[in-house]
Amino acid sequence: MSWNEMWANVALCKTAKPDELFVRGAEQHKAKVVCGACPVRAECLAEALDNEIEWGVWGGLTERERRALLRKRPNVTSWRELLETAKVEHEQSVGRAAV
């Protein structure tokens, strides 16, 4: 099973129609709501950033937001690695705070 298949199978949008995710303007805000509670939001965003996907809402970010992020951090070689590390660190800090 590929990395994409592992996370895509649990994405909240997997049952959504593509027309709901690949929209423009104000409709993008509706698509972003689906991403808000998705357990694989970071993996989805990493996929879009690493592959410079130009269309649709991925990981809760629109095309414009992803382009801005890519311009802001041009030296990132693996968004997947960066976001996975950040996710693990966040989960560890939440776990420590709960104790």
Side-chain angles (χ1 to χ4, degrees), residues 12-13 29-42 57 59-61:
L12 292 181
C13 65
H29 296 293
K30 291 179 186 176
K32 289 171 70 168
V33 169
V34 174
C35 301
C38 187
V40 292
R41 184 176 176 181
V57 173
L61 298 184

Side-chain angles (χ1 to χ4, degrees), residues 52-72:
E52 297 184 22
I53 297 174
E54 294 183 23
W55 307 106
V57 173
W58 289 75
L61 298 184
T62 65
E63 307 95 63
R64 181 179 291 173
E65 292 165 331
R66 290 193 309 276
R67 280 193 304 270
L69 191 54
L70 288 167
R71 279 192 306 273
K72 190 176 197 179

Side-chain angles (χ1 to χ4, degrees), residues 7-41:
W7 66 261
N9 288 331
V10 295
L12 292 181
C13 65
K14 75 178 181 179
T15 58
K17 297 174 185 169
D19 291 347
E20 296 171 357
L21 302 172
F22 295 91
V23 292
R24 296 220 176 261
E27 293 295 310
Q28 290 178 328
H29 296 293
K30 291 179 186 176
K32 289 171 70 168
V33 169
V34 174
C35 301
C38 187
V40 292
R41 184 176 176 181

Side-chain angles (χ1 to χ4, degrees), residues 91-99:
E91 289 168 352
Q92 289 172 344
S93 70
V94 169
R96 284 191 297 268
V99 175

